[in-house]
Amino acid sequence: MKVIQQPLGPVQANCYLVMENHHALIIDPADILPNLDEILNQNDCTLDAIVLTHAHFDHISGVDKIVNKFGCDVYLNPNEFDFLLDPDLNSSSAFYMDVTCNANSKPLIEGKNEIAGFEVEAIYCPGHSIGSTVLKIEDCLFTGDVLFQGSIGRMDLATGSVSSMKQSLKKLVQFNKDYKVYPGHGPTTSLSQEKKWNESLKYAEIY
């Protein structure tokens, strides 16, 4: 499996292009990748789906552009379907923007999902937002704005919750296996590194 990371959009959210066996999906497109056609052609892949870790404006701004060009499906935790057309819920209004997304989303169900030839395990992890979801694909965790290198996501935006974040972090620290972590912002890391060095994971120890 090949993963290409590209920070995009006004706050440089990480967009991920995941490719394997001639299939590709995009995670959290803040914009359309400028060389997307070239990458897909070079890797002999067809873009089949967009998967969202959550529906904040900086993770959805490129969805409509990609859907209009490629006609691909969009998957999202159904708890955030209404975020797509609501600038208050998707937090664009908090940054003096008016971002909406017209895509018709399919539900990203908690547990295993077969999407575009990939087995995507959705781990519901509210806290940053009510529908925040960590995506496990093979040995990789796409953590959105739940877990970053050295920190965790903010909890002061619409539907954020400190108590929910604590419970979500506990889910992640209980994984015995090490995973490569692809966060919504900043550099990649690993779960073992974050367990060792990330002071914010002490939230997971509070009951």
Side-chain angles (χ1 to χ4, degrees):
M1 186 174 77
K2 185 174 184 179
V3 179
I4 294 176
Q5 174 183 344
Q6 179 67 60
L8 295 169
V11 294
Q12 293 292 278
N14 287 328
C15 173
Y16 295 102
L17 178 62
V18 184
M19 297 177 288
E20 189 173 49
N21 296 328
H22 307 294
H23 293 284
L25 58 82
I26 286 180
I27 296 172
D28 290 355
D31 203 343
I32 189 167
L33 282 77
N35 54 343
L36 180 55
D37 286 310
E38 180 181 351
I39 296 172
L40 293 171
N41 289 335
Q42 287 176 348
N43 290 274
D44 192 22
C45 285
T46 299
L47 181 62
D48 298 305
I50 296 170
V51 186
L52 302 174
T53 63
H54 64 299
H56 279 161
F57 75 98
D58 52 328
H59 296 254
I60 66 171
S61 297
V63 168
D64 284 348
K65 294 179 186 177
I66 296 170
V67 170
N68 289 340
K69 182 170 184 177
F70 293 95
C72 53
D73 293 325
V74 180
Y75 291 84
L76 171 66
N77 185 322
N79 288 314
E80 295 195 2
F81 279 179
D82 52 349
F83 282 42
L84 298 176
L85 293 173
D86 190 327
D88 291 328
L89 288 175
N90 68 40
S91 295
S92 58
S93 63
F95 293 84
Y96 307 103
M97 291 182 278
D98 184 11
V99 175
T100 58
C101 174
N102 294 303
N104 292 318
S105 294
K106 295 185 175 183
L108 184 63
I109 303 301
E110 188 165 25
K112 293 181 179 179
N113 298 258
E114 295 294 332
I115 300 174
F118 296 88
E119 182 176 281
V120 180
E121 183 174 345
I123 305 160
Y124 284 5
C125 289
H128 175 66
S129 65
I130 194 170
S132 285
T133 302
V134 171
L135 310 173
K136 182 164 77 70
I137 306 176
E138 295 186 6
D139 293 331
C140 303
L141 294 177
F142 298 87
T143 56
D145 288 3
V146 177
L147 178 66
F148 306 130
Q149 183 189 68
S151 65
I152 59 175
R154 61 189 293 178
M155 293 158 276
D156 60 337
L157 298 173
T159 76
S161 167
V162 173
S163 60
S164 294
M165 180 66 90
K166 292 174 183 177
Q167 297 302 314
S168 294
L169 294 173
K170 280 197 287 188
K171 288 184 183 180
L172 299 183
V173 299
Q174 287 170 358
F175 287 155
N176 293 321
K177 184 177 179 180
D178 194 17
Y179 291 93
K180 187 164 186 178
V181 172
Y182 292 95
H185 301 269
T188 59
T189 181
S190 68
L191 190 57
S192 61
Q193 178 175 316
E194 297 313 303
K195 286 182 181 181
K196 185 174 183 180
W197 298 110
N198 191 334
E199 291 292 324
S200 297
L201 286 184
K202 290 182 178 179
Y203 277 106
E205 300 172 3
I206 301 173
Y207 292 87

